[in-house]
Amino acid sequence: MRKVALITGASSGIGLALCNRLLEEDDELHLCLACRNLSKAEAVRDALLASHPSAEVTIVQMDVSSLRSVVQGAKEVKQKFQRLDYLYLNAGIMPNPQLNIKAFFFGIFSRNVIHMFSTAEGLLTQNDKVTADGFQEVFETNLFGHFILIRELEPLLCHSDNPSQLIWTSSRNAKKSNFSLEDIQHTKGQEPYSSSKYATDLLNVALNRNFNQKGLYSSVICPGVVMTNMTYGILPPFVWTLLLPVMWLLRFFANAFTMTPYNGAEALVWLFHQKPESLNPLTKYLSSTTGFGTNYVRSQKMDIDEDTAEKFYQTLLDLEKRVRITIEKSDHPS
Ligand SMILES: NC(=O)c1ccc[n+]([C@@H]2O[C@H](COP(=O)([O-])OP(=O)(O)OC[C@H]3O[C@@H](n4cnc5c(N)ncnc54)[C@H](OP(=O)(O)O)[C@@H]3O)[C@@H](O)[C@H]2O)c1
């Protein structure tokens, strides 16, 4: 039977490269593209089928920053599939990024210069906004919408005799000090992206703790620094082009400059081939590229406290309960 992989954010960047690479690994795979923009998704499906005619590609419309859209999209997925082998939780945003010029100049003259360029730690702030659901947009898009998707798709994912994998596109930018259990949506700070990615790492640990026995395993990756619409929101493409020689040089000292979506998808593809039972839940898998352009995957132990992960998971379950009551009430007003 064909294996099925659902990918959120498949319409561009790393998600699109992942679709191509997965079909290069297994051209019998059935891909389900969960995208908010149908015309973009259709163009991607046509291109994928043109290069891999034996594959199957299905589209499901889903905006992960709208819980109604997630629930409706998940309903369609449940009508179309009996099980999912892989759920790639990849869609993500970094809205209105601002470069912290002071931190940048301070950083380039410090010993941490390579770490700063590889992780963008402390370099970027973002202006978040509130969605129609009443959540911070970065939190809902990068994390909570995906959490609800997993909860909706549990029946397709939990089979103890035949494990399924959740694979999150997190980031090296996930930083513990940007996350707080008292402010999980990061309403008070200026680095919602970093907070949402640290929250992703925490949730990953809690999901493993709560779902491994049911046959569901979760992993997180970082694609490295990749030229996509997201990075072009930080600096215009021509500035990145000017910086290319510097980044090629930096590759000899740090392996995070993967640069292309193809390279960035390395860890996502590597996980596709792993036995999930053999993976360490406290490890993040980093797409990496050497100075000579060779791709490989590096493991990094995450700075995660398992009790905090469990508390965060319980907070998300409470939030989910409240959201479902609100949706129910507005769908069936008495
Ligand atoms: N690029 C990097 O250097 C880098 C580094 C670390 C981590 N990442 C992570 O990599 C992932 C992919 O990002 P990318 O770099 O490939 O950027 P990208 O090209 O902007 O791709 C983002 C994808 O997410 C989708 N998306 C955004 N908001 C959505 C929503 N509300 N509902 C459904 N889909 C939505 C986009 O759809 P549309 O096409 O409709 O906009 C697009 O397909 C993200 O999680 C990002 O945080 C990227």
Short mmCIF file of all heavy atoms in Angstrom, two decimals, residues 92-144:
data_model
loop_
_atom_site.label_atom_id
_atom_site.label_comp_id
_atom_site.label_asym_id
_atom_site.label_seq_id
_atom_site.Cartn_x
_atom_site.Cartn_y
_atom_site.Cartn_z
N GLY A 92 4.89 28.08 8.40
CA GLY A 92 5.33 28.98 9.46
C GLY A 92 5.49 30.39 8.94
O GLY A 92 5.65 30.62 7.74
N ILE A 93 5.43 31.33 9.88
CA ILE A 93 5.59 32.75 9.50
C ILE A 93 6.54 33.45 10.48
O ILE A 93 6.70 33.04 11.62
CB ILE A 93 4.24 33.52 9.51
CG1 ILE A 93 3.52 33.36 10.87
CG2 ILE A 93 3.34 33.07 8.37
CD1 ILE A 93 2.40 34.35 11.10
N MET A 94 7.14 34.50 9.95
CA MET A 94 7.91 35.44 10.78
C MET A 94 7.51 36.83 10.28
O MET A 94 8.15 37.39 9.39
CB MET A 94 9.42 35.21 10.58
CG MET A 94 10.27 36.09 11.47
SD MET A 94 11.96 36.18 10.94
CE MET A 94 12.67 34.78 11.75
N PRO A 95 6.39 37.39 10.83
CA PRO A 95 5.85 38.61 10.23
C PRO A 95 6.66 39.85 10.61
O PRO A 95 7.14 39.97 11.74
CB PRO A 95 4.44 38.69 10.81
CG PRO A 95 4.50 37.91 12.07
CD PRO A 95 5.60 36.90 11.95
N ASN A 96 6.77 40.76 9.68
CA ASN A 96 7.43 42.07 9.90
C ASN A 96 8.74 41.98 10.67
O ASN A 96 8.91 42.64 11.69
CB ASN A 96 6.48 43.02 10.67
CG ASN A 96 5.11 43.04 10.08
OD1 ASN A 96 4.96 43.29 8.90
ND2 ASN A 96 4.10 42.73 10.87
N PRO A 97 9.68 41.16 10.21
CA PRO A 97 10.92 41.07 10.98
C PRO A 97 11.74 42.36 10.91
O PRO A 97 11.82 42.99 9.86
CB PRO A 97 11.66 39.91 10.30
CG PRO A 97 11.08 39.82 8.94
CD PRO A 97 9.69 40.35 8.99
N GLN A 98 12.30 42.74 12.03
CA GLN A 98 13.16 43.93 12.10
C GLN A 98 14.53 43.49 12.57
O GLN A 98 14.64 42.74 13.54
CB GLN A 98 12.63 44.93 13.14
CG GLN A 98 11.17 45.26 13.04
CD GLN A 98 10.89 46.21 11.88
OE1 GLN A 98 11.68 47.12 11.64
NE2 GLN A 98 9.81 45.97 11.15
N LEU A 99 15.55 43.97 11.87
CA LEU A 99 16.92 43.65 12.28
C LEU A 99 17.33 44.58 13.43
O LEU A 99 17.18 45.79 13.32
CB LEU A 99 17.85 43.84 11.07
CG LEU A 99 19.25 43.28 11.18
CD1 LEU A 99 19.22 41.76 11.34
CD2 LEU A 99 20.04 43.63 9.91
N ASN A 100 17.80 44.00 14.52
CA ASN A 100 18.27 44.81 15.65
C ASN A 100 19.71 45.26 15.35
O ASN A 100 20.66 44.52 15.54
CB ASN A 100 18.20 43.95 16.92
CG ASN A 100 18.59 44.73 18.15
OD1 ASN A 100 19.33 45.71 18.07
ND2 ASN A 100 18.11 44.27 19.30
N ILE A 101 19.82 46.49 14.81
CA ILE A 101 21.10 46.99 14.30
C ILE A 101 22.16 47.02 15.42
O ILE A 101 23.32 46.65 15.21
CB ILE A 101 20.92 48.41 13.70
CG1 ILE A 101 19.88 48.38 12.58
CG2 ILE A 101 22.24 48.99 13.19
CD1 ILE A 101 20.32 47.75 11.28
N LYS A 102 21.71 47.41 16.62
CA LYS A 102 22.66 47.51 17.74
C LYS A 102 23.25 46.13 18.06
O LYS A 102 24.48 45.97 18.17
CB LYS A 102 21.92 48.07 18.97
CG LYS A 102 22.81 48.71 19.98
CD LYS A 102 21.96 49.41 21.03
CE LYS A 102 22.61 49.24 22.39
NZ LYS A 102 21.72 49.53 23.48
N ALA A 103 22.33 45.13 18.14
CA ALA A 103 22.79 43.76 18.46
C ALA A 103 23.69 43.25 17.34
O ALA A 103 24.67 42.53 17.58
CB ALA A 103 21.58 42.84 18.64
N PHE A 104 23.36 43.64 16.09
CA PHE A 104 24.15 43.19 14.93
C PHE A 104 25.60 43.69 15.03
O PHE A 104 26.55 42.92 14.94
CB PHE A 104 23.48 43.70 13.64
CG PHE A 104 24.22 43.36 12.39
CD1 PHE A 104 24.17 42.07 11.86
CD2 PHE A 104 24.99 44.31 11.73
CE1 PHE A 104 24.87 41.75 10.70
CE2 PHE A 104 25.70 44.00 10.57
CZ PHE A 104 25.63 42.72 10.06
N PHE A 105 25.76 45.01 15.26
CA PHE A 105 27.13 45.56 15.31
C PHE A 105 27.88 45.09 16.55
O PHE A 105 29.07 44.81 16.49
CB PHE A 105 27.10 47.09 15.19
CG PHE A 105 26.92 47.51 13.77
CD1 PHE A 105 25.72 48.04 13.31
CD2 PHE A 105 27.95 47.33 12.83
CE1 PHE A 105 25.54 48.39 11.98
CE2 PHE A 105 27.79 47.68 11.50
CZ PHE A 105 26.58 48.21 11.07
N PHE A 106 27.14 44.95 17.65
CA PHE A 106 27.76 44.43 18.86
C PHE A 106 28.24 42.99 18.61
O PHE A 106 29.36 42.61 18.95
CB PHE A 106 26.74 44.48 20.02
CG PHE A 106 27.32 44.11 21.33
CD1 PHE A 106 28.16 44.99 22.02
CD2 PHE A 106 27.06 42.86 21.90
CE1 PHE A 106 28.70 44.65 23.23
CE2 PHE A 106 27.61 42.51 23.12
CZ PHE A 106 28.43 43.40 23.78
N GLY A 107 27.38 42.22 17.91
CA GLY A 107 27.66 40.80 17.66
C GLY A 107 28.84 40.57 16.74
O GLY A 107 29.65 39.67 16.96
N ILE A 108 28.97 41.40 15.67
CA ILE A 108 30.05 41.10 14.71
C ILE A 108 31.44 41.32 15.31
O ILE A 108 32.42 40.81 14.80
CB ILE A 108 29.93 41.82 13.33
CG1 ILE A 108 29.64 43.28 13.49
CG2 ILE A 108 28.93 41.16 12.43
CD1 ILE A 108 29.58 44.01 12.14
N PHE A 109 31.50 42.11 16.39
CA PHE A 109 32.81 42.30 17.03
C PHE A 109 32.95 41.43 18.28
O PHE A 109 33.86 41.62 19.07
CB PHE A 109 33.02 43.78 17.37
CG PHE A 109 33.06 44.63 16.12
CD1 PHE A 109 32.04 45.54 15.85
CD2 PHE A 109 34.08 44.48 15.19
CE1 PHE A 109 32.05 46.30 14.68
CE2 PHE A 109 34.10 45.24 14.02
CZ PHE A 109 33.08 46.15 13.77
N SER A 110 32.03 40.46 18.45
CA SER A 110 32.11 39.60 19.63
C SER A 110 32.59 38.20 19.23
O SER A 110 32.67 37.88 18.05
CB SER A 110 30.74 39.50 20.31
OG SER A 110 29.94 38.60 19.60
N ARG A 111 32.88 37.39 20.26
CA ARG A 111 33.32 36.01 20.00
C ARG A 111 32.18 35.15 19.46
O ARG A 111 32.39 34.07 18.94
CB ARG A 111 33.84 35.39 21.30
CG ARG A 111 35.31 35.70 21.55
CD ARG A 111 35.82 34.90 22.70
NE ARG A 111 35.02 35.15 23.90
CZ ARG A 111 35.00 34.38 24.97
NH1 ARG A 111 35.71 33.29 24.99
NH2 ARG A 111 34.28 34.68 26.03
N ASN A 112 30.91 35.65 19.64
CA ASN A 112 29.74 34.85 19.25
C ASN A 112 29.30 35.09 17.81
O ASN A 112 28.19 34.73 17.44
CB ASN A 112 28.54 35.20 20.16
CG ASN A 112 28.71 34.55 21.50
OD1 ASN A 112 29.40 33.53 21.60
ND2 ASN A 112 28.09 35.13 22.51
N VAL A 113 30.17 35.70 17.02
CA VAL A 113 29.70 36.16 15.70
C VAL A 113 29.12 35.03 14.84
O VAL A 113 28.07 35.18 14.22
CB VAL A 113 30.84 36.93 14.96
CG1 VAL A 113 32.08 36.09 14.76
CG2 VAL A 113 30.35 37.46 13.64
N ILE A 114 29.79 33.86 14.84
CA ILE A 114 29.30 32.78 13.97
C ILE A 114 27.99 32.22 14.50
O ILE A 114 27.04 31.99 13.74
CB ILE A 114 30.39 31.70 13.80
CG1 ILE A 114 31.50 32.32 12.96
CG2 ILE A 114 29.83 30.45 13.12
CD1 ILE A 114 32.63 31.43 12.59
N HIS A 115 27.92 32.07 15.84
CA HIS A 115 26.68 31.61 16.46
C HIS A 115 25.54 32.59 16.13
O HIS A 115 24.43 32.18 15.79
CB HIS A 115 26.88 31.50 17.98
CG HIS A 115 25.66 31.08 18.72
ND1 HIS A 115 25.24 29.76 18.75
CD2 HIS A 115 24.75 31.78 19.45
CE1 HIS A 115 24.14 29.68 19.46
NE2 HIS A 115 23.81 30.89 19.90
N MET A 116 25.84 33.87 16.20
CA MET A 116 24.81 34.89 15.94
C MET A 116 24.28 34.77 14.50
O MET A 116 23.08 34.77 14.27
CB MET A 116 25.40 36.29 16.16
CG MET A 116 24.43 37.41 15.82
SD MET A 116 25.21 39.03 15.95
CE MET A 116 26.02 39.16 14.36
N PHE A 117 25.18 34.60 13.53
CA PHE A 117 24.74 34.48 12.14
C PHE A 117 24.01 33.16 11.89
O PHE A 117 23.09 33.09 11.08
CB PHE A 117 25.92 34.59 11.18
CG PHE A 117 26.31 36.02 10.88
CD1 PHE A 117 27.56 36.50 11.21
CD2 PHE A 117 25.41 36.87 10.27
CE1 PHE A 117 27.91 37.82 10.94
CE2 PHE A 117 25.74 38.19 10.00
CZ PHE A 117 26.99 38.66 10.34
N SER A 118 24.42 32.08 12.60
CA SER A 118 23.80 30.77 12.36
C SER A 118 22.40 30.67 12.95
O SER A 118 21.57 29.92 12.46
CB SER A 118 24.61 29.63 12.99
OG SER A 118 25.95 29.77 12.75
N THR A 119 22.16 31.39 14.05
CA THR A 119 20.89 31.22 14.76
C THR A 119 20.01 32.46 14.71
O THR A 119 18.84 32.39 15.05
CB THR A 119 21.15 30.92 16.26
OG1 THR A 119 21.82 32.05 16.83
CG2 THR A 119 21.99 29.67 16.45
N ALA A 120 20.58 33.59 14.32
CA ALA A 120 19.89 34.89 14.35
C ALA A 120 19.44 35.24 15.77
O ALA A 120 18.55 36.08 15.96
CB ALA A 120 18.71 34.92 13.39
N GLU A 121 20.08 34.61 16.76
CA GLU A 121 19.69 34.82 18.16
C GLU A 121 19.89 36.28 18.56
O GLU A 121 20.98 36.83 18.39
CB GLU A 121 20.56 33.91 19.03
CG GLU A 121 19.88 33.46 20.30
CD GLU A 121 20.75 32.43 21.00
OE1 GLU A 121 20.68 31.26 20.62
OE2 GLU A 121 21.49 32.82 21.91
N GLY A 122 18.83 36.90 19.05
CA GLY A 122 18.90 38.30 19.51
C GLY A 122 18.93 39.32 18.38
O GLY A 122 18.95 40.52 18.62
N LEU A 123 18.95 38.84 17.12
CA LEU A 123 19.10 39.75 15.97
C LEU A 123 17.78 40.26 15.44
O LEU A 123 17.72 41.30 14.81
CB LEU A 123 19.80 39.01 14.81
CG LEU A 123 21.30 39.06 14.71
CD1 LEU A 123 21.74 38.48 13.37
CD2 LEU A 123 21.80 40.49 14.83
N LEU A 124 16.71 39.46 15.64
CA LEU A 124 15.45 39.78 14.96
C LEU A 124 14.30 39.98 15.95
O LEU A 124 14.10 39.17 16.85
CB LEU A 124 15.06 38.63 14.01
CG LEU A 124 16.01 38.37 12.85
CD1 LEU A 124 15.64 37.08 12.14
CD2 LEU A 124 15.99 39.54 11.87
N THR A 125 13.55 41.06 15.73
CA THR A 125 12.30 41.22 16.48
C THR A 125 11.16 41.22 15.45
O THR A 125 11.41 41.44 14.26
CB THR A 125 12.28 42.54 17.27
OG1 THR A 125 12.46 43.61 16.34
CG2 THR A 125 13.36 42.56 18.32
N GLN A 126 9.94 40.91 15.90
CA GLN A 126 8.81 40.89 14.97
C GLN A 126 7.63 41.63 15.58
O GLN A 126 7.50 41.69 16.80
CB GLN A 126 8.36 39.45 14.65
CG GLN A 126 9.42 38.55 14.05
CD GLN A 126 10.16 37.74 15.10
OE1 GLN A 126 9.59 37.32 16.08
NE2 GLN A 126 11.46 37.54 14.89
N ASN A 127 6.76 42.16 14.69
CA ASN A 127 5.50 42.76 15.13
C ASN A 127 4.40 41.75 14.89
O ASN A 127 4.04 41.49 13.76
CB ASN A 127 5.18 44.04 14.34
CG ASN A 127 6.13 45.15 14.70
OD1 ASN A 127 6.58 45.23 15.85
ND2 ASN A 127 6.45 45.99 13.73
N ASP A 128 3.88 41.20 15.96
CA ASP A 128 2.83 40.19 15.84
C ASP A 128 1.47 40.89 15.80
O ASP A 128 1.36 42.07 16.09
CB ASP A 128 2.91 39.28 17.08
CG ASP A 128 2.41 37.88 16.80
OD1 ASP A 128 1.82 37.66 15.74
OD2 ASP A 128 2.61 37.00 17.67
N LYS A 129 0.42 40.14 15.43
CA LYS A 129 -0.93 40.71 15.50
C LYS A 129 -1.90 39.63 15.98
O LYS A 129 -1.49 38.46 16.12
CB LYS A 129 -1.34 41.29 14.15
CG LYS A 129 -1.46 40.27 13.05
CD LYS A 129 -1.98 40.92 11.78
CE LYS A 129 -2.34 39.83 10.79
NZ LYS A 129 -2.45 40.19 9.44
N VAL A 130 -3.15 40.02 16.19
CA VAL A 130 -4.14 39.06 16.71
C VAL A 130 -4.99 38.55 15.54
O VAL A 130 -5.40 39.33 14.68
CB VAL A 130 -5.01 39.74 17.80
CG1 VAL A 130 -6.10 38.80 18.28
CG2 VAL A 130 -4.13 40.19 18.97
N THR A 131 -5.23 37.24 15.50
CA THR A 131 -6.03 36.65 14.42
C THR A 131 -7.52 36.78 14.71
O THR A 131 -7.92 37.15 15.81
CB THR A 131 -5.72 35.15 14.27
OG1 THR A 131 -6.15 34.50 15.49
CG2 THR A 131 -4.26 34.87 14.05
N ALA A 132 -8.34 36.39 13.72
CA ALA A 132 -9.80 36.42 13.91
C ALA A 132 -10.22 35.50 15.06
O ALA A 132 -11.24 35.71 15.70
CB ALA A 132 -10.49 36.00 12.62
N ASP A 133 -9.40 34.46 15.35
CA ASP A 133 -9.71 33.56 16.47
C ASP A 133 -9.33 34.16 17.82
O ASP A 133 -9.60 33.56 18.87
CB ASP A 133 -8.92 32.24 16.32
CG ASP A 133 -9.46 31.38 15.17
OD1 ASP A 133 -10.62 31.56 14.80
OD2 ASP A 133 -8.70 30.53 14.68
N GLY A 134 -8.64 35.30 17.79
CA GLY A 134 -8.25 35.96 19.04
C GLY A 134 -6.91 35.52 19.59
O GLY A 134 -6.59 35.79 20.74
N PHE A 135 -6.10 34.84 18.76
CA PHE A 135 -4.76 34.41 19.21
C PHE A 135 -3.69 35.28 18.56
O PHE A 135 -3.93 35.88 17.51
CB PHE A 135 -4.49 32.96 18.81
CG PHE A 135 -5.36 31.98 19.52
CD1 PHE A 135 -6.36 31.29 18.84
CD2 PHE A 135 -5.18 31.73 20.87
CE1 PHE A 135 -7.17 30.39 19.51
CE2 PHE A 135 -5.99 30.83 21.54
CZ PHE A 135 -6.98 30.16 20.86
N GLN A 136 -2.49 35.27 19.16
CA GLN A 136 -1.35 35.90 18.50
C GLN A 136 -1.09 35.11 17.22
O GLN A 136 -1.07 33.86 17.24
CB GLN A 136 -0.12 35.86 19.41
CG GLN A 136 -0.23 36.70 20.66
CD GLN A 136 -0.40 38.19 20.37
OE1 GLN A 136 -1.41 38.78 20.75
NE2 GLN A 136 0.54 38.79 19.69
N GLU A 137 -0.88 35.81 16.13
CA GLU A 137 -0.79 35.14 14.82
C GLU A 137 0.37 34.15 14.74
O GLU A 137 0.25 33.05 14.18
CB GLU A 137 -0.67 36.18 13.71
CG GLU A 137 -0.79 35.55 12.32
CD GLU A 137 -0.55 36.53 11.19
OE1 GLU A 137 0.14 37.56 11.41
OE2 GLU A 137 -1.03 36.25 10.08
N VAL A 138 1.52 34.53 15.29
CA VAL A 138 2.69 33.65 15.19
C VAL A 138 2.44 32.36 15.98
O VAL A 138 2.72 31.25 15.51
CB VAL A 138 3.97 34.37 15.67
CG1 VAL A 138 5.16 33.42 15.68
CG2 VAL A 138 4.26 35.58 14.79
N PHE A 139 1.89 32.50 17.17
CA PHE A 139 1.58 31.35 18.02
C PHE A 139 0.58 30.42 17.31
O PHE A 139 0.78 29.20 17.25
CB PHE A 139 1.01 31.85 19.36
CG PHE A 139 0.40 30.78 20.21
CD1 PHE A 139 1.20 29.94 20.97
CD2 PHE A 139 -0.98 30.62 20.28
CE1 PHE A 139 0.63 28.95 21.77
CE2 PHE A 139 -1.56 29.64 21.08
CZ PHE A 139 -0.75 28.80 21.82
N GLU A 140 -0.49 31.01 16.77
CA GLU A 140 -1.53 30.17 16.16
C GLU A 140 -1.02 29.48 14.88
O GLU A 140 -1.26 28.30 14.66
CB GLU A 140 -2.79 30.98 15.86
CG GLU A 140 -3.94 30.09 15.35
CD GLU A 140 -5.29 30.78 15.30
OE1 GLU A 140 -5.35 32.01 15.42
OE2 GLU A 140 -6.29 30.05 15.10
N THR A 141 -0.27 30.23 14.07
CA THR A 141 0.20 29.66 12.79
C THR A 141 1.29 28.61 13.02
O THR A 141 1.22 27.49 12.50
CB THR A 141 0.78 30.79 11.89
OG1 THR A 141 -0.17 31.83 11.79
CG2 THR A 141 1.13 30.26 10.51
N ASN A 142 2.30 29.00 13.79
CA ASN A 142 3.48 28.12 13.91
C ASN A 142 3.22 26.95 14.85
O ASN A 142 3.83 25.88 14.69
CB ASN A 142 4.69 28.91 14.42
CG ASN A 142 5.15 29.95 13.41
OD1 ASN A 142 4.54 30.12 12.36
ND2 ASN A 142 6.21 30.67 13.71
N LEU A 143 2.31 27.13 15.81
CA LEU A 143 2.15 26.07 16.81
C LEU A 143 0.70 25.60 17.01
O LEU A 143 0.40 24.43 16.76
CB LEU A 143 2.72 26.54 18.16
CG LEU A 143 2.66 25.40 19.16
CD1 LEU A 143 4.00 24.77 19.38
CD2 LEU A 143 2.05 25.83 20.46
N PHE A 144 -0.18 26.49 17.46
CA PHE A 144 -1.48 26.02 17.96
C PHE A 144 -2.37 25.42 16.84
O PHE A 144 -3.03 24.41 17.06
CB PHE A 144 -2.21 27.16 18.69
CG PHE A 144 -3.36 26.68 19.52
CD1 PHE A 144 -3.18 25.71 20.50
CD2 PHE A 144 -4.64 27.18 19.32
CE1 PHE A 144 -4.25 25.26 21.27
CE2 PHE A 144 -5.71 26.74 20.09
CZ PHE A 144 -5.51 25.77 21.07
#
